[in-house]
Amino acid sequence: MNTNFFALTIELLVGFLALLVLTKVLGKTQIAQLTPFDFISALILGELVGNAIYDKDIGLHYVLYAVFVWGALIMLVETITQKYKNSRGLLEGKPTIVIRRGVIDRAKLQTTKLDLDQLQHLLRDKSVFSIQEVEYAILEANGTINVLKKSTYQSVSKSDINIAPNDVMLPITIVSDGGWIDENLQQTPLLKESLQNLFSEQGIEINHVLIAEWSEGEPLYVHLDHAPFIKYLDISSLI
């Protein structure tokens, strides 16, 4: 092999130091608040440096040049967004309210390419295991979600009001996006046939159900894609 290990080591070291300096210059917020643009920028920068290091026809000065030019472009975008407020939505993205006053905004989910399973995953990352707890949910530009819970679900210390702790039960989603989740339904004492009859009595068509959640000892929470959007069904007679 004709690889010059010494030259390769020097190029790797310089590339590493250049990326380290660039990271420090861009600041911690660039890493912590990673937007889609930032993510793509990081991938391209890594690709540029990698190609510059391992391509035999490219010298050390190309490594530094690639890091400098791409870093300058990123800093230019950051400067523009800081000085010109109207450019932030285009270059950084905008937050999107995907749940408003407890109602899932289906149009916003489609616009942001977010499905219900992904929405529930993001909510669980915020320790929200039931959509009925949410008053507002905002999808941020970096892909994370922030949640404002309904007042009845906001944190209160039980010791402050002298209430004994209760067992915590995990809500189970039995319908999602108009379809039954048979695996989850088997974990409940409910039968699909009984639920289908109950839905028919209530004038609910399964293909119009966005989410149906079962919690032990509580009414069945049903979130529809049309008004009245949210229903609580008494299922005590089905158990």
PDB file of all heavy atoms in Angstrom, residues 32-60:
ATOM      1  N   ALA A  32     -27.222  21.666  20.774  1.00  0.00           N
ATOM      2  CA  ALA A  32     -28.386  21.320  21.587  1.00  0.00           C
ATOM      3  C   ALA A  32     -29.690  21.510  20.831  1.00  0.00           C
ATOM      4  O   ALA A  32     -30.645  20.775  21.040  1.00  0.00           O
ATOM      5  CB  ALA A  32     -28.389  22.162  22.860  1.00  0.00           C
ATOM      6  N   GLN A  33     -29.748  22.525  19.953  1.00  0.00           N
ATOM      7  CA  GLN A  33     -30.973  22.827  19.226  1.00  0.00           C
ATOM      8  C   GLN A  33     -30.800  22.448  17.762  1.00  0.00           C
ATOM      9  O   GLN A  33     -30.836  23.269  16.862  1.00  0.00           O
ATOM     10  CB  GLN A  33     -31.311  24.307  19.360  1.00  0.00           C
ATOM     11  CG  GLN A  33     -31.521  24.736  20.792  1.00  0.00           C
ATOM     12  CD  GLN A  33     -31.719  26.229  20.928  1.00  0.00           C
ATOM     13  OE1 GLN A  33     -31.748  26.960  19.965  1.00  0.00           O
ATOM     14  NE2 GLN A  33     -31.850  26.675  22.159  1.00  0.00           N
ATOM     15  N   LEU A  34     -30.557  21.156  17.523  1.00  0.00           N
ATOM     16  CA  LEU A  34     -30.264  20.665  16.191  1.00  0.00           C
ATOM     17  C   LEU A  34     -31.520  20.666  15.326  1.00  0.00           C
ATOM     18  O   LEU A  34     -32.442  19.887  15.543  1.00  0.00           O
ATOM     19  CB  LEU A  34     -29.690  19.244  16.277  1.00  0.00           C
ATOM     20  CG  LEU A  34     -29.015  18.688  15.037  1.00  0.00           C
ATOM     21  CD1 LEU A  34     -27.768  19.497  14.707  1.00  0.00           C
ATOM     22  CD2 LEU A  34     -28.651  17.229  15.241  1.00  0.00           C
ATOM     23  N   THR A  35     -31.561  21.553  14.345  1.00  0.00           N
ATOM     24  CA  THR A  35     -32.668  21.614  13.397  1.00  0.00           C
ATOM     25  C   THR A  35     -32.336  20.727  12.206  1.00  0.00           C
ATOM     26  O   THR A  35     -31.194  20.278  12.039  1.00  0.00           O
ATOM     27  CB  THR A  35     -32.891  23.050  12.916  1.00  0.00           C
ATOM     28  OG1 THR A  35     -31.730  23.470  12.171  1.00  0.00           O
ATOM     29  CG2 THR A  35     -33.092  24.002  14.098  1.00  0.00           C
ATOM     30  N   PRO A  36     -33.320  20.432  11.329  1.00  0.00           N
ATOM     31  CA  PRO A  36     -33.013  19.646  10.134  1.00  0.00           C
ATOM     32  C   PRO A  36     -31.869  20.244   9.315  1.00  0.00           C
ATOM     33  O   PRO A  36     -31.022  19.518   8.792  1.00  0.00           O
ATOM     34  CB  PRO A  36     -34.340  19.672   9.366  1.00  0.00           C
ATOM     35  CG  PRO A  36     -35.376  19.791  10.426  1.00  0.00           C
ATOM     36  CD  PRO A  36     -34.757  20.687  11.464  1.00  0.00           C
ATOM     37  N   PHE A  37     -31.827  21.575   9.203  1.00  0.00           N
ATOM     38  CA  PHE A  37     -30.741  22.219   8.463  1.00  0.00           C
ATOM     39  C   PHE A  37     -29.403  21.956   9.139  1.00  0.00           C
ATOM     40  O   PHE A  37     -28.403  21.658   8.474  1.00  0.00           O
ATOM     41  CB  PHE A  37     -30.996  23.726   8.366  1.00  0.00           C
ATOM     42  CG  PHE A  37     -29.864  24.493   7.751  1.00  0.00           C
ATOM     43  CD1 PHE A  37     -29.671  24.506   6.383  1.00  0.00           C
ATOM     44  CD2 PHE A  37     -28.970  25.205   8.557  1.00  0.00           C
ATOM     45  CE1 PHE A  37     -28.612  25.202   5.816  1.00  0.00           C
ATOM     46  CE2 PHE A  37     -27.920  25.901   8.002  1.00  0.00           C
ATOM     47  CZ  PHE A  37     -27.737  25.892   6.626  1.00  0.00           C
ATOM     48  N   ASP A  38     -29.362  22.070  10.460  1.00  0.00           N
ATOM     49  CA  ASP A  38     -28.123  21.818  11.196  1.00  0.00           C
ATOM     50  C   ASP A  38     -27.662  20.373  11.026  1.00  0.00           C
ATOM     51  O   ASP A  38     -26.468  20.091  10.891  1.00  0.00           O
ATOM     52  CB  ASP A  38     -28.310  22.120  12.689  1.00  0.00           C
ATOM     53  CG  ASP A  38     -28.677  23.575  12.938  1.00  0.00           C
ATOM     54  OD1 ASP A  38     -28.218  24.426  12.159  1.00  0.00           O
ATOM     55  OD2 ASP A  38     -29.431  23.831  13.886  1.00  0.00           O
ATOM     56  N   PHE A  39     -28.624  19.452  11.040  1.00  0.00           N
ATOM     57  CA  PHE A  39     -28.304  18.031  10.899  1.00  0.00           C
ATOM     58  C   PHE A  39     -27.672  17.753   9.539  1.00  0.00           C
ATOM     59  O   PHE A  39     -26.641  17.071   9.441  1.00  0.00           O
ATOM     60  CB  PHE A  39     -29.583  17.202  11.083  1.00  0.00           C
ATOM     61  CG  PHE A  39     -29.388  15.728  10.902  1.00  0.00           C
ATOM     62  CD1 PHE A  39     -28.703  14.987  11.850  1.00  0.00           C
ATOM     63  CD2 PHE A  39     -29.895  15.080   9.783  1.00  0.00           C
ATOM     64  CE1 PHE A  39     -28.515  13.618  11.683  1.00  0.00           C
ATOM     65  CE2 PHE A  39     -29.715  13.716   9.612  1.00  0.00           C
ATOM     66  CZ  PHE A  39     -29.021  12.990  10.565  1.00  0.00           C
ATOM     67  N   ILE A  40     -28.283  18.299   8.489  1.00  0.00           N
ATOM     68  CA  ILE A  40     -27.745  18.111   7.146  1.00  0.00           C
ATOM     69  C   ILE A  40     -26.384  18.778   7.023  1.00  0.00           C
ATOM     70  O   ILE A  40     -25.463  18.233   6.400  1.00  0.00           O
ATOM     71  CB  ILE A  40     -28.730  18.661   6.091  1.00  0.00           C
ATOM     72  CG1 ILE A  40     -30.024  17.845   6.108  1.00  0.00           C
ATOM     73  CG2 ILE A  40     -28.110  18.642   4.701  1.00  0.00           C
ATOM     74  CD1 ILE A  40     -31.118  18.415   5.243  1.00  0.00           C
ATOM     75  N   SER A  41     -26.241  19.958   7.616  1.00  0.00           N
ATOM     76  CA  SER A  41     -24.956  20.663   7.586  1.00  0.00           C
ATOM     77  C   SER A  41     -23.856  19.827   8.225  1.00  0.00           C
ATOM     78  O   SER A  41     -22.739  19.745   7.714  1.00  0.00           O
ATOM     79  CB  SER A  41     -25.070  22.009   8.309  1.00  0.00           C
ATOM     80  OG  SER A  41     -25.954  22.869   7.633  1.00  0.00           O
ATOM     81  N   ALA A  42     -24.172  19.202   9.356  1.00  0.00           N
ATOM     82  CA  ALA A  42     -23.183  18.374  10.049  1.00  0.00           C
ATOM     83  C   ALA A  42     -22.779  17.177   9.195  1.00  0.00           C
ATOM     84  O   ALA A  42     -21.594  16.807   9.123  1.00  0.00           O
ATOM     85  CB  ALA A  42     -23.741  17.905  11.395  1.00  0.00           C
ATOM     86  N   LEU A  43     -23.764  16.547   8.525  1.00  0.00           N
ATOM     87  CA  LEU A  43     -23.458  15.401   7.666  1.00  0.00           C
ATOM     88  C   LEU A  43     -22.554  15.808   6.506  1.00  0.00           C
ATOM     89  O   LEU A  43     -21.581  15.126   6.191  1.00  0.00           O
ATOM     90  CB  LEU A  43     -24.753  14.790   7.129  1.00  0.00           C
ATOM     91  CG  LEU A  43     -25.653  14.061   8.130  1.00  0.00           C
ATOM     92  CD1 LEU A  43     -26.897  13.534   7.423  1.00  0.00           C
ATOM     93  CD2 LEU A  43     -24.902  12.911   8.791  1.00  0.00           C
ATOM     94  N   ILE A  44     -22.899  16.926   5.870  1.00  0.00           N
ATOM     95  CA  ILE A  44     -22.117  17.377   4.718  1.00  0.00           C
ATOM     96  C   ILE A  44     -20.703  17.772   5.145  1.00  0.00           C
ATOM     97  O   ILE A  44     -19.714  17.445   4.466  1.00  0.00           O
ATOM     98  CB  ILE A  44     -22.814  18.557   4.015  1.00  0.00           C
ATOM     99  CG1 ILE A  44     -24.123  18.075   3.380  1.00  0.00           C
ATOM    100  CG2 ILE A  44     -21.908  19.176   2.962  1.00  0.00           C
ATOM    101  CD1 ILE A  44     -24.925  19.161   2.712  1.00  0.00           C
ATOM    102  N   LEU A  45     -20.599  18.450   6.273  1.00  0.00           N
ATOM    103  CA  LEU A  45     -19.276  18.848   6.768  1.00  0.00           C
ATOM    104  C   LEU A  45     -18.419  17.619   7.047  1.00  0.00           C
ATOM    105  O   LEU A  45     -17.240  17.574   6.701  1.00  0.00           O
ATOM    106  CB  LEU A  45     -19.424  19.693   8.033  1.00  0.00           C
ATOM    107  CG  LEU A  45     -18.129  20.211   8.661  1.00  0.00           C
ATOM    108  CD1 LEU A  45     -17.356  21.055   7.651  1.00  0.00           C
ATOM    109  CD2 LEU A  45     -18.430  21.017   9.910  1.00  0.00           C
ATOM    110  N   GLY A  46     -19.003  16.614   7.672  1.00  0.00           N
ATOM    111  CA  GLY A  46     -18.271  15.379   7.930  1.00  0.00           C
ATOM    112  C   GLY A  46     -17.846  14.693   6.645  1.00  0.00           C
ATOM    113  O   GLY A  46     -16.734  14.161   6.537  1.00  0.00           O
ATOM    114  N   GLU A  47     -18.732  14.715   5.643  1.00  0.00           N
ATOM    115  CA  GLU A  47     -18.412  14.109   4.355  1.00  0.00           C
ATOM    116  C   GLU A  47     -17.276  14.863   3.663  1.00  0.00           C
ATOM    117  O   GLU A  47     -16.366  14.258   3.092  1.00  0.00           O
ATOM    118  CB  GLU A  47     -19.659  14.112   3.470  1.00  0.00           C
ATOM    119  CG  GLU A  47     -19.490  13.399   2.135  1.00  0.00           C
ATOM    120  CD  GLU A  47     -19.378  11.893   2.262  1.00  0.00           C
ATOM    121  OE1 GLU A  47     -19.680  11.371   3.355  1.00  0.00           O
ATOM    122  OE2 GLU A  47     -18.983  11.246   1.283  1.00  0.00           O
ATOM    123  N   LEU A  48     -17.330  16.192   3.720  1.00  0.00           N
ATOM    124  CA  LEU A  48     -16.273  16.995   3.105  1.00  0.00           C
ATOM    125  C   LEU A  48     -14.906  16.707   3.734  1.00  0.00           C
ATOM    126  O   LEU A  48     -13.910  16.510   3.042  1.00  0.00           O
ATOM    127  CB  LEU A  48     -16.600  18.488   3.242  1.00  0.00           C
ATOM    128  CG  LEU A  48     -17.739  19.029   2.383  1.00  0.00           C
ATOM    129  CD1 LEU A  48     -18.046  20.471   2.772  1.00  0.00           C
ATOM    130  CD2 LEU A  48     -17.387  18.945   0.906  1.00  0.00           C
ATOM    131  N   VAL A  49     -14.889  16.690   5.054  1.00  0.00           N
ATOM    132  CA  VAL A  49     -13.635  16.432   5.746  1.00  0.00           C
ATOM    133  C   VAL A  49     -13.147  15.011   5.471  1.00  0.00           C
ATOM    134  O   VAL A  49     -11.955  14.772   5.228  1.00  0.00           O
ATOM    135  CB  VAL A  49     -13.795  16.667   7.265  1.00  0.00           C
ATOM    136  CG1 VAL A  49     -12.523  16.261   8.006  1.00  0.00           C
ATOM    137  CG2 VAL A  49     -14.115  18.122   7.534  1.00  0.00           C
ATOM    138  N   GLY A  50     -14.069  14.053   5.504  1.00  0.00           N
ATOM    139  CA  GLY A  50     -13.685  12.662   5.240  1.00  0.00           C
ATOM    140  C   GLY A  50     -13.094  12.478   3.860  1.00  0.00           C
ATOM    141  O   GLY A  50     -12.055  11.823   3.691  1.00  0.00           O
ATOM    142  N   ASN A  51     -13.746  13.047   2.858  1.00  0.00           N
ATOM    143  CA  ASN A  51     -13.226  12.941   1.491  1.00  0.00           C
ATOM    144  C   ASN A  51     -11.875  13.628   1.356  1.00  0.00           C
ATOM    145  O   ASN A  51     -10.966  13.144   0.671  1.00  0.00           O
ATOM    146  CB  ASN A  51     -14.213  13.548   0.495  1.00  0.00           C
ATOM    147  CG  ASN A  51     -15.466  12.695   0.344  1.00  0.00           C
ATOM    148  OD1 ASN A  51     -15.444  11.507   0.629  1.00  0.00           O
ATOM    149  ND2 ASN A  51     -16.547  13.298  -0.102  1.00  0.00           N
ATOM    150  N   ALA A  52     -11.756  14.800   2.005  1.00  0.00           N
ATOM    151  CA  ALA A  52     -10.499  15.537   1.916  1.00  0.00           C
ATOM    152  C   ALA A  52      -9.348  14.769   2.559  1.00  0.00           C
ATOM    153  O   ALA A  52      -8.210  14.804   2.082  1.00  0.00           O
ATOM    154  CB  ALA A  52     -10.655  16.902   2.586  1.00  0.00           C
ATOM    155  N   ILE A  53      -9.628  14.028   3.620  1.00  0.00           N
ATOM    156  CA  ILE A  53      -8.577  13.299   4.330  1.00  0.00           C
ATOM    157  C   ILE A  53      -8.140  12.050   3.572  1.00  0.00           C
ATOM    158  O   ILE A  53      -6.951  11.759   3.446  1.00  0.00           O
ATOM    159  CB  ILE A  53      -9.057  12.930   5.751  1.00  0.00           C
ATOM    160  CG1 ILE A  53      -9.137  14.192   6.623  1.00  0.00           C
ATOM    161  CG2 ILE A  53      -8.126  11.912   6.399  1.00  0.00           C
ATOM    162  CD1 ILE A  53      -9.718  13.950   7.990  1.00  0.00           C
ATOM    163  N   TYR A  54      -9.100  11.306   3.033  1.00  0.00           N
ATOM    164  CA  TYR A  54      -8.790  10.005   2.460  1.00  0.00           C
ATOM    165  C   TYR A  54      -8.545  10.030   0.956  1.00  0.00           C
ATOM    166  O   TYR A  54      -8.123   9.039   0.382  1.00  0.00           O
ATOM    167  CB  TYR A  54      -9.901   9.010   2.789  1.00  0.00           C
ATOM    168  CG  TYR A  54      -9.929   8.662   4.266  1.00  0.00           C
ATOM    169  CD1 TYR A  54     -10.910   9.181   5.100  1.00  0.00           C
ATOM    170  CD2 TYR A  54      -8.966   7.838   4.819  1.00  0.00           C
ATOM    171  CE1 TYR A  54     -10.924   8.885   6.461  1.00  0.00           C
ATOM    172  CE2 TYR A  54      -8.978   7.530   6.168  1.00  0.00           C
ATOM    173  CZ  TYR A  54      -9.964   8.051   6.984  1.00  0.00           C
ATOM    174  OH  TYR A  54      -9.969   7.759   8.312  1.00  0.00           O
ATOM    175  N   ASP A  55      -8.796  11.129   0.312  1.00  0.00           N
ATOM    176  CA  ASP A  55      -8.499  11.241  -1.114  1.00  0.00           C
ATOM    177  C   ASP A  55      -7.025  11.574  -1.281  1.00  0.00           C
ATOM    178  O   ASP A  55      -6.550  12.614  -0.792  1.00  0.00           O
ATOM    179  CB  ASP A  55      -9.365  12.332  -1.748  1.00  0.00           C
ATOM    180  CG  ASP A  55      -9.325  12.279  -3.274  1.00  0.00           C
ATOM    181  OD1 ASP A  55      -8.261  11.914  -3.813  1.00  0.00           O
ATOM    182  OD2 ASP A  55     -10.354  12.599  -3.893  1.00  0.00           O
ATOM    183  N   LYS A  56      -6.286  10.720  -1.974  1.00  0.00           N
ATOM    184  CA  LYS A  56      -4.839  10.904  -2.110  1.00  0.00           C
ATOM    185  C   LYS A  56      -4.480  12.158  -2.881  1.00  0.00           C
ATOM    186  O   LYS A  56      -3.365  12.677  -2.758  1.00  0.00           O
ATOM    187  CB  LYS A  56      -4.231   9.680  -2.803  1.00  0.00           C
ATOM    188  CG  LYS A  56      -4.378   8.383  -2.011  1.00  0.00           C
ATOM    189  CD  LYS A  56      -3.781   7.212  -2.760  1.00  0.00           C
ATOM    190  CE  LYS A  56      -3.954   5.904  -1.981  1.00  0.00           C
ATOM    191  NZ  LYS A  56      -3.383   4.753  -2.711  1.00  0.00           N
ATOM    192  N   ASP A  57      -5.384  12.633  -3.727  1.00  0.00           N
ATOM    193  CA  ASP A  57      -5.086  13.801  -4.552  1.00  0.00           C
ATOM    194  C   ASP A  57      -5.381  15.121  -3.838  1.00  0.00           C
ATOM    195  O   ASP A  57      -5.184  16.194  -4.406  1.00  0.00           O
ATOM    196  CB  ASP A  57      -5.899  13.746  -5.854  1.00  0.00           C
ATOM    197  CG  ASP A  57      -5.519  12.534  -6.690  1.00  0.00           C
ATOM    198  OD1 ASP A  57      -4.329  12.147  -6.649  1.00  0.00           O
ATOM    199  OD2 ASP A  57      -6.401  11.975  -7.380  1.00  0.00           O
ATOM    200  N   ILE A  58      -5.911  15.026  -2.626  1.00  0.00           N
ATOM    201  CA  ILE A  58      -6.284  16.229  -1.873  1.00  0.00           C
ATOM    202  C   ILE A  58      -5.347  16.391  -0.684  1.00  0.00           C
ATOM    203  O   ILE A  58      -5.167  15.460   0.097  1.00  0.00           O
ATOM    204  CB  ILE A  58      -7.745  16.153  -1.394  1.00  0.00           C
ATOM    205  CG1 ILE A  58      -8.695  16.116  -2.594  1.00  0.00           C
ATOM    206  CG2 ILE A  58      -8.092  17.341  -0.494  1.00  0.00           C
ATOM    207  CD1 ILE A  58     -10.146  16.002  -2.233  1.00  0.00           C
ATOM    208  N   GLY A  59      -4.770  17.549  -0.574  1.00  0.00           N
ATOM    209  CA  GLY A  59      -3.800  17.793   0.489  1.00  0.00           C
ATOM    210  C   GLY A  59      -4.442  18.342   1.750  1.00  0.00           C
ATOM    211  O   GLY A  59      -5.658  18.528   1.844  1.00  0.00           O
ATOM    212  N   LEU A  60      -3.581  18.606   2.719  1.00  0.00           N
ATOM    213  CA  LEU A  60      -4.030  19.094   4.016  1.00  0.00           C
ATOM    214  C   LEU A  60      -4.749  20.431   3.905  1.00  0.00           C
ATOM    215  O   LEU A  60      -5.718  20.689   4.633  1.00  0.00           O
ATOM    216  CB  LEU A  60      -2.814  19.222   4.944  1.00  0.00           C
ATOM    217  CG  LEU A  60      -3.079  19.730   6.358  1.00  0.00           C
ATOM    218  CD1 LEU A  60      -4.005  18.786   7.088  1.00  0.00           C
ATOM    219  CD2 LEU A  60      -1.754  19.864   7.112  1.00  0.00           C
TER     220      LEU A  60
END
